[in-house]
Amino acid sequence: MKRGAGVVSSAWTRAQRLTAFEHELASVMPRLRRFAHGLSRDATDADDLLQATAERMLRARAQWEPGTNFVAWSYRIMRNLWVDTARARQRHTSVLAPEEEGLAIGMSGAAEASVELGYLMRAMERLPDEQREAVALVMIEGLGYAEAAGVLDIPAGTLTSRLVRGRQALRAMLENAS
């Protein structure tokens, strides 16, 4: 019986030994998944990007210092990986996900919401990369302007300009869609 108690105690101890880094990583994964979808516009590419980001973060865990902005650090890693991927694919023609897949993302059960989400996803796909990144970080992920500018490694004024142009383009595309 004592042996069984030791097994339970050992498992509990392992769970307790999760570091602050692992807790931060686990908590940021849903946000990274959404950001990966915003960047890649494809479910499979988003999953691959998320996995590559998690792997890179785990390899670089010694570089992260507790108390710093873990979310911004993780977004920056993901964005840099995506830029590398996009550059590697530049010579190939891009393959977009079928329209039906875009409509299935974030289904709430209401037909109207599904249609509007489909319009929004198609509009986001047509935005230039710089505007789509700014819109995804600020409007979807809820980052502040300064934090999003840090993730993208651009001045706050440049982020604001891209965000304004992205919002205007989205608004125009959505008005034309309805």
Side-chain angles (χ1 to χ4, degrees):
M1 184 144 188
K2 192 171 192 176
R3 182 176 232 168
V7 171
V8 171
S9 175
S10 174
W12 183 76
T13 303
R14 266 184 269 147
Q16 283 185 320
R17 288 186 307 194
L18 288 175
T19 64
F21 179 88
E22 291 162 333
H23 285 290
E24 291 282 348
L25 180 59
S27 68
V28 78
M29 292 303 280
R31 295 177 73 180
L32 285 174
R33 185 175 185 77
R34 284 192 308 267
F35 187 48
H37 260 284
L39 291 174
S40 70
R41 300 176 251 176
D42 178 78
T44 304
D45 287 343
D47 289 342
D48 292 345
L49 181 59
L50 180 64
Q51 181 177 347
T53 301
E55 288 174 6
R56 182 160 298 173
M57 291 172 68
L58 288 168
R59 280 195 309 265
R61 72 172 19 175
Q63 295 174 3
W64 178 71
E65 295 184 26
T68 59
N69 190 334
F70 190 86
V71 173
W73 182 66
S74 60
Y75 281 151
R76 185 177 211 137
I77 289 172
M78 179 173 279
R79 181 182 178 272
N80 289 342
L81 281 169
W82 180 249
V83 167
D84 292 345
T85 301
R87 285 180 183 152
R89 291 181 177 176
Q90 227 169 16
R91 290 173 289 191
H92 303 288
T93 59
S94 65
V95 178
L96 299 178
E99 180 177 333
E100 299 78 31
E101 286 184 28
L103 294 174
I105 296 173
M107 295 274 296
S108 66
E112 295 83 13
S114 174
V115 170
E116 289 177 17
L117 181 59
Y119 289 147
L120 180 60
M121 293 302 292
R122 285 190 297 279
M124 283 285 290
E125 289 174 0
R126 293 192 315 228
L127 286 178
D129 290 343
E130 296 84 14
Q131 292 176 13
R132 191 177 65 257
E133 289 172 348
V135 169
L137 286 173
V138 175
M139 295 178 68
I140 296 172
E141 293 303 318
L143 295 184
Y145 286 22
E147 190 175 18
V151 168
L152 298 174
D153 197 26
I154 58 174
T158 302
L159 173 84
T160 303
S161 174
R162 290 178 183 177
L163 187 59
V164 167
R165 287 193 315 269
R167 284 178 175 161
Q168 289 171 343
L170 282 174
R171 187 175 300 120
M173 285 185 264
L174 293 174
E175 286 173 0
N176 290 337
S178 47

